[in-house]
Amino acid sequence: MSLNEKYEKISAAYLQDIKEAGTLQDVEEVRVKYIGRSGEVNKIFKELGILSPEERPAWGKKLNILKSDITKSVEDKKEQFSQKDEKEDIFDPTMPGNYSRFPSIHPVTGILREIKDIFSSLGFGVAYGPEIESSYHNFTALNIPEDHVAREMHDTFYLNQEDKLLRTHTSPVQVRVMENNDPPYNIIVPGKCYRRDTIDASHSPVFHQVEGLMVDKNINFADLKGVLAEFAKLFFKGSDVKTRFRPSYFPFTEPSAEMDISCRICQGKGCSSCSQKGWLEILGAGMVDPEVFKHCNVDTEKWQGFAFGMGVERLAMLKYGISDMRFFYLNDIRFLEQF
Ligand code: DAH
């Protein structure tokens, strides 16, 4: 084999060997094989004697370059191994651990579940209805005629499709349940509602409500009070929460009332959270207006009952002492993690 052939062979072979070296020991063996004292490169050096004195210096230079190329490749490969070793071997017990966040339930979802659990323990089933609603179900059947001022309070998003809107409350589901089923009724309706509100500390264009409807042959206002006071006791468990009913007005109930709970911060004495009143409103309720029954073909001689509606975000704010409704929708992990 000529010097040139040997040179070419070594130049290709060392690169392959370095590539295949899998351990530090392998790399060291490659080094010895090629640039060790009796390695391949030195063997060629020894053969340079056969060359003419004019040829020798060029070959010397060529071989020295090869030698330093091999040295560099060997060192680079060793460096790779030591970097890997550092990563694998060094265990620093003072480093923060691999911390993974525990998923938690969104407070609004959590409160919805609690409300559902409480009412199912009181014998209520759960019904759902569409969020895109007809104005008939959202207003007319609930005794809110076209020119009624209450429609203004419920200003909402209308769809291009005729007569369709985003429901402003969960009350239309009362109507749907009564249209499609025979009495008695004993249901709650959790769900999203929409109004044309700008978002601030206590308003949002999307929010959640739970509606309720209990209709049977002998239901009266005492049942309404009993069920809703029991709900408040179970929901604000551990605190001796008091309830009171104030007369109010809703087009779909007669008589109508709002239920307040005693302020849990000042125990009813009056503070800034309850505007010095000692009481906080948590829901609207009343005996189902005969006009609503008529729209649903329910015989008012035989059946009577009560309905109620509560805002889920408001209940969550009261329960957890949250001062601003926007926290529910900001997706700030620091807030959400607390539930
Ligand atoms: N739908 C009412 C609202 O959004 C809440 C309400 C009040 C529902 C009284 C009822 C009720 O069923 O009886 O403001």
Side-chain angles (χ1 to χ4, degrees), residues 154 168-171 174 195 209 211-212 250 252-253 284-286 307-310:
H154 283 219
T168 57
H169 48 179
T170 41
S171 306
Q174 279 186 35
R195 289 196 198 174
Q209 278 189 346
E211 184 78 14
F250 299 103
F252 32 88
T253 45
F308 56 89
M310 54 184 89

Side-chain angles (χ1 to χ4, degrees), residues 35-310:
I35 51 178
R37 193 169 301 164
S38 36
E40 301 294 330
V41 178
N42 275 352
K43 279 186 201 155
I44 309 187
F45 263 117
K46 283 181 191 142
E47 291 177 36
L48 294 187
I50 56 168
L51 296 173
S52 66
E54 297 82 53
E55 283 173 314
R56 251 178 256 154
W59 263 98
K61 203 169 164 193
K62 199 163 145 178
L63 288 181
N64 277 327
I65 290 172
L66 178 62
K67 210 169 171 176
S68 68
D69 285 351
I70 298 175
T71 310
K72 176 142 192 350
S73 299
V74 164
E75 272 163 13
D76 286 353
K77 186 83 182 196
K78 282 188 176 167
E79 178 72 23
Q80 273 178 30
F81 280 120
S82 68
Q83 269 174 10
K84 225 170 158 191
D85 282 354
E86 263 167 36
K87 270 194 213 129
E88 277 166 5
D89 292 350
I90 296 177
F91 170 68
D92 180 353
T94 64
M95 296 276 282
N98 286 334
Y99 153 78
S100 54
R101 291 179 190 277
F102 252 105
S104 58
I105 302 292
H106 190 282
V108 169
T109 309
I111 292 291
L112 270 172
R113 287 185 188 175
E114 270 183 51
I115 297 173
K116 277 191 253 177
D117 284 351
I118 291 173
F119 279 105
S120 76
S121 78
L122 297 174
F124 285 74
V126 179
Y128 296 96
E131 288 171 26
I132 296 177
E133 195 41 289
S134 67
S135 70
Y136 173 77
H137 287 95
N138 196 82
F139 293 125
T140 315
L142 288 164
N143 199 28
I144 313 176
E146 215 138 290
D147 54 359
H148 200 287
V149 283
R151 288 210 187 198
E152 206 138 296
M153 272 147 48
H154 283 219
D155 198 6
T156 186
F157 302 95
Y158 289 85
L159 278 74
N160 284 339
Q161 224 174 324
E162 204 183 328
D163 201 36
K164 291 277 192 249
L165 47 83
L166 294 184
R167 68 178 180 195
T168 57
H169 48 179
T170 41
S171 306
V173 186
Q174 279 186 35
V175 177
R176 289 185 174 273
V177 167
M178 290 197 274
E179 278 174 346
N180 296 311
N181 303 276
D182 292 329
Y185 310 110
N186 206 13
I187 49 129
I188 57 160
V189 182
K192 282 195 191 72
C193 306
Y194 304 83
R195 289 196 198 174
R196 233 187 110 247
D197 276 328
T198 42
I199 188 159
D200 65 22
S202 54
H203 293 88
S204 157
V206 190
F207 58 99
H208 297 75
Q209 278 189 346
V210 174
E211 184 78 14
L213 177 69
M214 183 178 235
V215 173
D216 210 321
K217 285 186 176 141
N218 289 306
I219 301 291
N220 58 40
F221 205 89
D223 297 306
L224 178 159
K225 287 181 75 174
V227 166
L228 295 177
E230 184 65 13
F231 163 74
K233 226 162 74 191
L234 293 170
F235 184 78
F236 294 104
K237 50 186 168 258
S239 66
D240 42 347
V241 61
K242 292 195 198 73
T243 48
R244 75 171 184 188
F245 290 82
R246 279 179 295 105
S248 184
Y249 170 76
F250 299 103
F252 32 88
T253 45
E254 182 60 38
S256 302
E258 278 170 319
M259 185 173 89
D260 296 341
I261 55 158
S262 51
C263 176
R264 293 164 72 238
I265 293 170
C266 62
Q267 259 71 37
K269 289 187 199 85
C271 67
S272 60
S273 282
C274 57
S275 316
Q276 309 302 330
K277 290 188 191 129
W279 296 94
L280 292 154
E281 183 225 315
I282 66 162
L283 55 82
M287 300 306 289
V288 179
D289 193 295
E291 281 303 311
V292 178
F293 279 143
K294 271 185 216 154
H295 280 291
C296 307
N297 285 325
V298 173
D299 184 350
T300 50
E301 294 296 314
K302 250 164 99 180
W303 306 99
Q304 54 191 317
F306 64 87
F308 56 89
M310 54 184 89

